[in-house]
Each structure stands twice: as C-alpha cells, then as structure tokens.
Amino acid sequence: MTARIGVVTFPGSLDDGDAARAVRIAGGEPVRLWHGDADLHRVDAVVLPGGFSYGDYLRCGAIARFAPVMETIVDAARGGLPVLGICNGFQILCEAHLLPGALTRNQHLHFRNRDQILRIEATGTAWTNTYQAGQEILIPVKNGEGCYVADAATLDRLEGEGRVVARYVGGNPNGSQRDIAAITNSAGNVVGIMPHPEHAVEALTGPSLDGLGFFTSVLKHLVGAPA
C-alpha cells in the first residue's frame, strides 16, 4: 500500500506544490492538507513546506503555529508521526516547540538564494536513513531568516545526542550557529531543515537529485514501522 504523505498549505505557502511533487517522485502519495482543517485525513507522515505562512507577520511561523492543522500535527508528532519542516516549516516546528531553538534574521541581513553543499551527520532519523553519515549533498537554500540560534546548553545537547542532522559546508549562508542546517527531535521522527531538498529531486529543475533521499527515507521508515 502506498504511503500517504500530507503536505500542508498555509496562506502564503510557496513550495507546497514542489513538496507534493517530491513525494510523488519518491513513490509516495501526496495528500494536500489545509491549514484550517484539523483533520489529517489518515496520512502516514507530514511535510510543512517553505514559503511565508501568514505573511511572516509577528515572526516567521509564529501565527502558523496556532493553525488548526498544527494542533493535530503537534499531538501526532509527539506520538511518533514523521514530520519534516522545510525552511518556513522549520520555523513553524520551532515555534510549536517540537524542535528547540529559533530561526532569526540572516546575520548579513540579506536574502540568500544559492545551491548549497550540506554534510549529512545523522542518518538515524525517519527522513535521512537512506544517506550515509558524512555524505555531502547539494541542494538549494533560499531564506532571509535562516540563522539557527539556541543557547549554549541546547547546542551542546544537540551535538551530544547526535541531533544535528546536517551542517553547511563551503560557506555558511546565514550565520547559523555551529553551521547547523538541520536538526531532529530526540525520537528522530521530527526534522527541521532550512535548505530545500524538494528542489533537488529531478535533473530538469534541480542542481542535483540529492534531496530525493529525504522523501525516500520516510517511505523506507514507514515500511519498517510497526502496523
């Protein structure tokens, strides 16, 4: 049976269509979820896409965190539902306290849009199990508020527990502390990533196919998950 992967659309979402396409290319069934509908429609995993939810008013992700769909997602994620937050989705996960820390204005105060090398550091998550530890991948980054920050104790805990999923290589595009590009929760089912794996899933439109592994990983995870 094909895994059903929900992709949430908020007012201002930009990359929900791209995320749904990535799910389909990976072999899953994308299911479109609406921000105002708390029903997850029996999905097996969820992607929170990039964009500018609710116009980024107050703070990026601060309003989206209170959307009806997020109330359900937060509860389901705490129960083990795989959730991937990409860019704005990462910001929403932090605002919802599913992940620690925050994403703030890029240190250089400029929007960055470029192809970026990442090094995968954690392969035990629901979203990275098809990669090799230390593998370098090339996917686009595009953000104005992508600087990951946290207090020193949180950063040390993320490092010590192996919860830094990916780091920037060959230049940090936004000033994120310790070059952090992606992190996970302690259970490994929730991952937030600032660059965009959904933009690197086919040769025609991406700089590589390196992002596809995030989506094939969750399908592999779901196959091995208890019924």
Side-chain angles (χ1 to χ4, degrees):
M1 186 173 180
T2 303
R4 293 165 53 84
I5 313 298
V7 178
V8 179
T9 297
F10 299 96
S13 289
L14 177 66
D15 298 313
D16 45 340
D18 300 77
R21 180 174 178 81
V23 168
R24 187 165 52 252
I25 291 172
E29 177 188 351
V31 178
R32 305 305 288 265
L33 302 176
W34 184 240
H35 70 106
D37 183 2
D39 189 345
L40 297 185
H41 301 280
R42 306 180 312 281
V43 299
D44 303 301
V46 168
V47 177
L48 302 178
F52 307 91
S53 58
Y54 296 92
D56 280 349
Y57 288 111
L58 300 183
R59 291 185 309 277
C60 300
I63 299 177
R65 178 262 178 274
F66 293 102
V69 74
M70 281 304 301
E71 295 181 15
T72 311
I73 289 171
V74 168
D75 288 342
R78 288 173 176 158
L81 181 78
V83 180
L84 176 66
I86 303 170
C87 196
N88 187 222
F90 189 2
Q91 295 162 342
I92 295 169
L93 290 175
C94 290
E95 289 287 343
H97 306 296
L98 286 174
L99 292 175
L103 286 305
T104 63
R105 184 75 173 162
N106 292 351
Q107 279 193 346
H108 44 66
L109 305 182
H110 296 285
F111 190 91
R112 279 290 180 266
N113 183 0
R114 72 188 193 195
D115 297 333
Q116 175 69 47
I117 299 173
L118 305 181
R119 183 174 63 247
I120 301 295
E121 302 220 336
T123 60
T125 80
W127 299 92
T128 56
N129 59 69
T130 61
Y131 293 104
Q132 300 296 317
Q135 181 178 347
E136 294 188 359
I137 65 174
L138 179 68
I139 64 176
V141 64
K142 51 175 188 176
N143 61 73
E145 290 84 19
C147 179
Y148 181 76
V149 297
D151 61 82
T154 297
L155 292 170
D156 289 343
R157 185 169 66 253
L158 290 172
E159 299 266 16
E161 295 177 359
R163 291 169 54 192
V164 175
V165 172
R167 296 184 202 269
Y168 298 111
V169 174
N172 185 327
N174 45 43
S176 288
Q177 292 178 316
R178 306 193 188 181
D179 296 328
I180 290 174
I183 62 172
T184 186
N185 65 343
S186 57
N189 63 303
V190 178
V191 169
I193 180 169
M194 184 48 55
H196 288 261
E198 80 281 16
H199 293 331
V201 297
E202 54 186 348
L204 179 65
T205 57
S208 72
L209 303 181
D210 293 347
L212 192 59
F214 281 85
F215 303 95
T216 57
S217 287
V218 75
L219 299 181
K220 178 182 175 183
H221 170 80
L222 291 170
V223 167

